[in-house]
Amino acid sequence: MKSWILNVAATSLGLFSWFSCADDTHKAFKAAERIAWSGQHKAFKRSLQTLNHPLKPYVELAFYKRNSKLKYQAEIAHFLSVYDGTPLEWPVRSSWLKYLKRRSKKALFVEYYQPTKDAELHCSYLKYQLDLGAPKKAILNQVEPLWVVGKSQPRACNSLFKQWQNAGYRTDDMVWQRITKAAQGGQTSLLRYLKTLLPKEQAYLADLYATVRRDPSAAAGLYRFKKRSIKEAEIAIYGVRRLIWRDQKLALKAWDKLQKMFPFTQSQKDSVAYRFALALASKGHPQARFWLNKVPSENQDSKLKQWMMGNMLKEQDWAGITALFTPMKNLSNGQTYWLAYSHAHRGNESKAKQLWQSLAVKRDYYGFLAAERLGLPISLNAKPLDVSPELLIKVSEAPGFKRAKALYEMKRYTEARREWNYLTNTSSTPEKLAASTLAADLDWYDSTIYTLAEIKAWDYVDLRFPLAYQDLFNRYSEKSHIDVAWSIAVARRESSFAPDARSHANAYGLMQLLPSTARYVSKQRVSKTKLFQPVTNIRLGTDYLEYLKKKNGGNEILATASYNAGYHRIKKWLPDEAMPAELWIELIPYKETRDYVKNVFAYRQVYHTKMGRDGNVLAPILDMKIGG
């Protein structure tokens, strides 16, 4: 839905045509950019003179990034000054610094250097200052953070590190810190080098760390810890903390014996207790409750408390849940819901209703469940976003917004987001709200959603839950015989409607489909390019939801969980004896999947209501049993 505020403001001020940037203007920009890429300086300068486009500085970027030369120093310096701090700066500055490094222009390099995570450039900056006569102490004091890392550093750092070492700055403690990081990061080649820096009698520790990293069960081989030193204790702790996830029986046995070998500190014991509690609870181990209770209260974070609650729910220990949560302040919505549930099971209906009443006004999974328990109607408690036309115009005229908008229109999404992030990071909250309204008017859904989430502007429901790609979701959901509110809720959770979304697992597009999943559903290979196209992604995504629903016997809870974690994994999580669906959801062992199911059903309710439908889509959860 387009923002009526923006349309009124734009029409009244004669700006409506500006918001429909002509394709011809973009063509002119692309032509100028191609000239810049060619490296022809005079042609590049002529193209700039005739170009009137928000992305004009990107033409300059294209030239200077590829043509970092001393003869253009004045132009590059001007560009870096004008666009300092913007997404335009670093691509040019990085190229310029690398050029100066190749030419050994040390003084210029130091002059133009800006802090960066690029270790090669950082090392060169420090080394060049030493070469130019800077005070050694001031420079060498900055080297430690570059050296104490769990990976090999670029060759450009070697001479700097040698000077630092020869000046006596490197200590045995620093070597051990780096060995710890390298071992725990699996950098075995670096370990072989670091081993040579240890005192001869301690060299075996690097090998021991590598062995335990490679095979955590080695921590159970007590004969390996011959000297029972503090460093051996650290390795043993690391190993047993990893082993508990792989072999609970062996880890418990090993820890019992290790405690008799080493005088572990209380902090070390507490860290093991925390890790054992999480691992055993997630595996449903009989000793889970014992270890959960061993974790000191100050170490009981939200993750651990979730497992403490889950363990009590599994055992139907309603008195335990009541005792755990009643004294606590600032309960989460989930803790409040299950505290009420426990009161209800203990016969205290009035207290349960009181707690559920406090939740029923919340716009989330637990709020919707509580509303259904009390027979209350759904209310989204939505607020309209009222931004003044003047502020909308101010933000729309900001160069950063114009650049972001133009890049988005040309589907240069990565660059567009960089500009958007720069714009919002340098804006006030009212300006961010205005920018969100403008992005919504462009159907730039993910930027609107993320920006409103960043400033915790939760109540602008129309902007946070847009009916994006509604025609496509309607068409393909109907074709796949699934609820459109469900399919659009999945897309909202998966990608926030970013068509170019890509996960760490290489899932693509609006509904985050793996190429293998797309091939299975469509019975043919589907290219990544196709998966980034909304029409293809939504068609295959809704088909996949239909497949999972059928595979799970029509159960949309299990289908939703399967969409996130995989069907075969979900089958392993089904209990032997039937349990209430809401309880099963709360006991899903993977936090990501547990939260995913809750969010999708909450989002589905929001879309269900926004579409003008009555009723609570979470109602079946309260009557459903899973497993058995």
Side-chain angles (χ1 to χ4, degrees):
M1 181 183 295
K2 300 292 183 181
S3 165
W4 69 269
I5 296 175
L6 177 57
N7 290 338
V8 170
T11 304
S12 64
L13 294 172
L15 294 173
F16 188 79
S17 59
W18 185 89
F19 282 90
S20 301
C21 197
D23 287 341
D24 289 343
T25 309
H26 290 331
K27 288 178 182 177
F29 159 72
K30 291 177 182 177
E33 190 177 44
R34 285 193 294 272
I35 292 171
W37 286 337
S38 73
Q40 301 175 43
H41 187 255
K42 289 183 179 179
F44 154 65
K45 283 294 188 178
R46 285 196 300 269
S47 71
L48 286 181
Q49 292 173 358
T50 59
L51 183 64
N52 181 21
H53 193 278
L55 297 183
K56 186 174 181 178
Y58 276 85
V59 176
E60 297 178 86
L61 183 154
F63 183 84
Y64 297 131
K65 182 179 177 181
R66 291 165 176 77
N67 296 278
S68 292
K69 298 177 181 178
L70 284 174
K71 62 181 177 179
Y72 302 133
Q73 179 184 344
E75 294 178 27
I76 291 172
H78 178 72
F79 182 89
L80 293 175
S81 175
V82 171
Y83 298 106
D84 183 38
T86 72
L88 293 150
E89 175 203 358
W90 185 248
V92 173
R93 188 179 297 278
S94 174
S95 179
W96 177 233
L97 288 172
K98 289 175 182 177
Y99 168 80
L100 295 174
K101 182 177 181 295
R102 289 194 301 272
R103 294 300 183 94
S104 288
K105 300 296 181 181
K106 298 179 182 181
L108 281 176
F109 185 99
V110 170
E111 178 185 346
Y112 283 97
Y113 179 83
Q114 292 287 348
T116 172
K117 294 180 180 179
D118 186 318
E120 181 175 349
L121 294 178
H122 193 177
C123 285
S124 297
Y125 172 64
L126 295 178
K127 179 65 169 59
Y128 289 168
Q129 288 182 87
L130 288 173
D131 294 346
L132 294 168
K136 283 190 176 182
K137 185 175 181 180
I139 302 303
L140 295 180
N141 276 335
Q142 302 176 55
V143 175
E144 181 182 342
L146 276 167
W147 192 83
V148 184
V149 295
K151 60 182 180 180
S152 297
Q153 293 288 47
R155 289 183 179 179
C157 296
N158 289 349
S159 60
L160 175 68
F161 289 161
K162 187 174 182 179
Q163 275 187 266
W164 175 74
Q165 174 186 332
N166 291 341
Y169 282 83
R170 195 189 72 204
T171 66
D172 289 346
D173 182 60
M174 292 177 192
V175 174
W176 182 247
Q177 288 180 52
R178 196 173 186 192
I179 284 175
T180 298
K181 292 182 178 183
Q184 295 185 11
Q187 298 292 320
T188 53
S189 59
L190 178 58
L191 273 179
R192 286 193 289 270
Y193 159 70
L194 294 174
K195 173 183 175 180
T196 66
L197 305 182
L198 284 171
K200 188 174 181 180
E201 68 276 9
Q202 294 183 23
Y204 78 98
L205 290 168
D207 295 329
L208 179 57
Y209 229 143
T211 299
V212 171
R213 162 70 190 193
R214 187 168 51 252
D215 180 10
S217 67
L222 306 186
Y223 66 90
R224 293 184 171 91
F225 305 103
K226 300 175 182 178
K227 299 184 180 180
R228 304 190 182 188
S229 64
I230 291 175
K231 290 184 173 63
E232 284 187 353
E234 292 178 23
I235 297 172
I237 288 280
Y238 172 70
V240 79
R241 280 162 51 94
R242 281 169 56 81
L243 181 60
I244 192 65
W245 293 97
R246 301 190 183 187
D247 188 333
Q248 291 76 50
K249 184 178 180 180
L250 182 59
L252 289 166
K253 184 178 179 181
W255 178 239
D256 185 54
K257 293 183 178 180
L258 286 169
Q259 288 185 90
K260 298 171 184 175
M261 287 182 63
F262 294 103
F264 293 118
T265 66
Q266 190 59 48
S267 176
Q268 288 175 320
K269 292 178 182 178
D270 290 345
S271 75
V272 170
Y274 179 88
R275 188 62 63 92
F276 276 32
L278 284 182
L280 296 174
S282 68
K283 303 290 185 182
H285 195 277
Q287 291 193 41
R289 187 161 189 174
F290 169 80
W291 284 94
L292 286 165
N293 290 334
K294 279 182 69 70
V295 180
S297 57
E298 60 270 19
N299 293 352
Q300 293 176 5
D301 57 12
S302 59
K303 184 187 294 186
L304 194 78
K305 285 176 180 174
Q306 172 68 33
W307 282 113
M308 292 174 74
M309 182 179 75
N311 190 70
M312 293 178 189
L313 287 174
K314 186 180 294 184
E315 297 178 2
Q316 299 187 27
D317 182 3
W318 313 123
I321 292 176
T322 304
L324 176 66
F325 290 134
T326 298
M328 289 175 54
K329 297 179 180 179
N330 302 318
L331 294 178
S332 69
N333 290 351
Q335 291 166 344
T336 301
Y337 183 86
W338 290 108
L339 177 58
Y341 191 95
S342 298
H343 279 303
H345 275 265
R346 300 182 73 200
N348 194 346
E349 291 288 344
S350 62
K351 185 61 178 177
K353 288 182 179 179
Q354 178 187 347
L355 290 169
W356 278 326
Q357 185 76 45
S358 70
L359 283 178
V361 296
K362 307 288 187 181
R363 190 180 50 249
D364 72 353
Y365 170 80
Y366 296 105
F368 296 146
L369 281 181
E372 179 61 23
R373 283 196 170 276
L374 299 175
L376 298 175
I378 292 296
S379 174
L380 298 184
N381 299 312
K383 293 181 180 178
L385 178 52
D386 187 10
V387 181
S388 72
E390 292 77 17
L391 185 56
L392 285 168
I393 296 303
K394 175 188 173 183
V395 174
S396 71
E397 289 295 333
F401 177 80
K402 289 183 177 181
R403 293 195 298 266
K405 174 183 180 292
L407 289 164
Y408 179 74
E409 289 174 339
M410 289 190 290
K411 298 185 178 181
R412 296 189 178 187
Y413 297 126
T414 299
E415 292 170 297
R417 288 193 187 93
R418 288 188 186 127
E419 288 284 2
W420 180 267
N421 291 337
Y422 167 72
L423 173 75
T424 54
N425 289 340
T426 55
S427 298
S428 65
T429 296
E431 288 168 341
K432 289 177 182 178
L433 290 173
S436 298
T437 303
L438 295 170
D441 207 76
L442 296 170
D443 292 340
W444 194 356
Y445 305 110
D446 59 303
S447 287
T448 299
I449 291 167
Y450 289 136
T451 302
L452 292 175
E454 178 194 353
I455 59 177
K456 295 180 170 53
W458 309 120
D459 292 335
Y460 303 123
V461 175
D462 284 341
L463 291 179
R464 291 186 57 234
F465 293 92
L467 291 166
Y469 305 99
Q470 188 173 10
D471 290 345
L472 292 176
F473 278 109
N474 283 337
R475 182 197 316 167
Y476 290 114
S477 297
E478 182 178 355
K479 179 177 175 292
S480 297
H481 310 290
I482 62 172
D483 177 24
V484 65
W486 182 33
S487 61
I488 199 169
V490 168
R492 169 64 170 79
R493 175 61 179 80
E494 289 285 353
S495 69
S496 293
F497 304 118
D500 64 319
R502 176 177 178 173
S503 74
H504 294 302
N506 288 324
Y508 299 93
L510 291 169
M511 300 188 74
Q512 290 290 273
L513 292 170
L514 292 167
S516 57
T517 300
R519 183 171 62 249
Y520 181 82
V521 171
S522 65
K523 309 303 180 187
Q524 60 183 340
R525 182 182 176 277
V526 182
S527 69
K528 297 174 185 176
T529 302
K530 284 280 190 180
L531 288 177
F532 284 133
Q533 296 174 358
V535 62
T536 301
N537 198 280
I538 293 172
R539 175 174 59 82
L540 296 178
T542 51
D543 281 350
Y544 187 47
L545 280 174
E546 179 192 26
Y547 164 79
L548 290 174
K549 183 176 178 178
K550 290 179 179 177
K551 192 78 171 172
N552 285 284
N555 190 308
E556 293 174 346
I557 295 173
L558 297 181
T560 302
S562 298
Y563 197 96
N564 176 259
Y567 170 74
H568 294 291
R569 184 175 289 157
I570 298 303
K571 294 297 287 184
K572 294 177 182 178
W573 295 345
L574 296 180
D576 294 332
E577 296 183 11
M579 67 166 60
E582 60 182 327
L583 191 56
W584 182 83
I585 292 170
E586 201 66 47
L587 295 175
I588 291 174
Y590 282 16
K591 181 181 186 301
E592 179 188 336
T593 305
R594 185 168 63 244
D595 291 345
Y596 183 89
V597 173
K598 295 174 188 175
N599 286 334
V600 166
F601 272 83
Y603 295 173
R604 182 178 180 180
Q605 180 63 62
V606 172
Y607 280 110
H608 182 86
T609 304
K610 275 176 61 73
M611 291 172 181
R613 302 171 175 179
D614 295 326
N616 191 324
V617 298
L618 278 69
I621 293 177
L622 300 182
D623 300 321
M624 188 187 302
K625 300 284 186 180
I626 286 181

